[in-house]
Amino acid sequence: MELTGRCYCGQVKYKATGDAMMKAQCHCRECQYMTGGGPNLFIAMPKEGFEYTQGEPAKFTRDDIENPVTREFCPNCGTHLITDPPGFPAVIVKVGTLDDPSVLEKPDMAIFMIDAQPFHEVPEGVATFDRFPG
Ligand SMILES: [Zn+2]
Ligand SMILES: [Zn+2]
């Protein structure tokens, strides 16, 4: 599949090609900051098939936790586009930034339920995990 997407203001655009490695919603406390409080919906795409086609993102990596992810976002409008997890061959593409978010269809799993809020919902039939599976 080939996915294309952009930030809210359109300054940064990307393309992700390859087979989706994971479709999920993440309930972790960190994601709640980025989403405004809900779970974060994402598609994991192979790192080698991901490229920015316009603009350059700003990047942020926490220095106060172990194995922090790097979050990449538009320096102009602040939209979070992807997360780059260390030691994982995929980039985490935020579904809301896709030109066609409906390609998600449905997440395969809900992860980091340990941080889920009482108002978070998981669609019927979606597997749940306390943390990252495996
Ligand atoms: Zn932007
Ligand atoms: Zn998360």
Side-chain angles (χ1 to χ4, degrees), residues 16-110:
T17 42
D19 292 329
M21 298 162 75
M22 186 178 173
K23 295 176 172 182
Q25 60 185 51
C26 182
H27 294 256
C28 83
R29 184 68 186 94
E30 288 71 30
C31 281
Q32 293 171 30
Y33 282 92
M34 311 306 157
T35 61
N40 173 32
L41 287 144
F42 70 84
I43 300 179
M45 293 293 287
K47 229 170 237 188
E48 69 268 17
F50 181 87
E51 61 176 312
Y52 286 103
T53 54
Q54 182 188 298
E56 279 293 325
K59 301 184 182 189
F60 175 75
T61 309
R62 278 175 70 165
D63 58 12
D64 60 335
I65 54 174
E66 256 182 77
N67 296 318
V69 300
T70 297
R71 298 177 183 276
E72 303 190 3
F73 51 96
C74 173
N76 188 43
C77 71
T79 304
H80 279 248
L81 297 154
I82 67 156
T83 302
D84 186 358
F88 194 60
V91 291
I92 306 302
V93 177
K94 307 257 185 304
V95 168
T97 67
L98 293 171
D99 292 331
D100 180 10
S102 73
V103 299
L104 176 72
E105 291 173 341
K106 191 177 172 184
D108 297 325
M109 61 183 84

Side-chain angles (χ1 to χ4, degrees), residues 109-111 113 122 126-130:
M109 61 183 84
I111 63 174
M113 291 304 293
V122 177
V126 170
T128 59
F129 296 89
D130 277 354

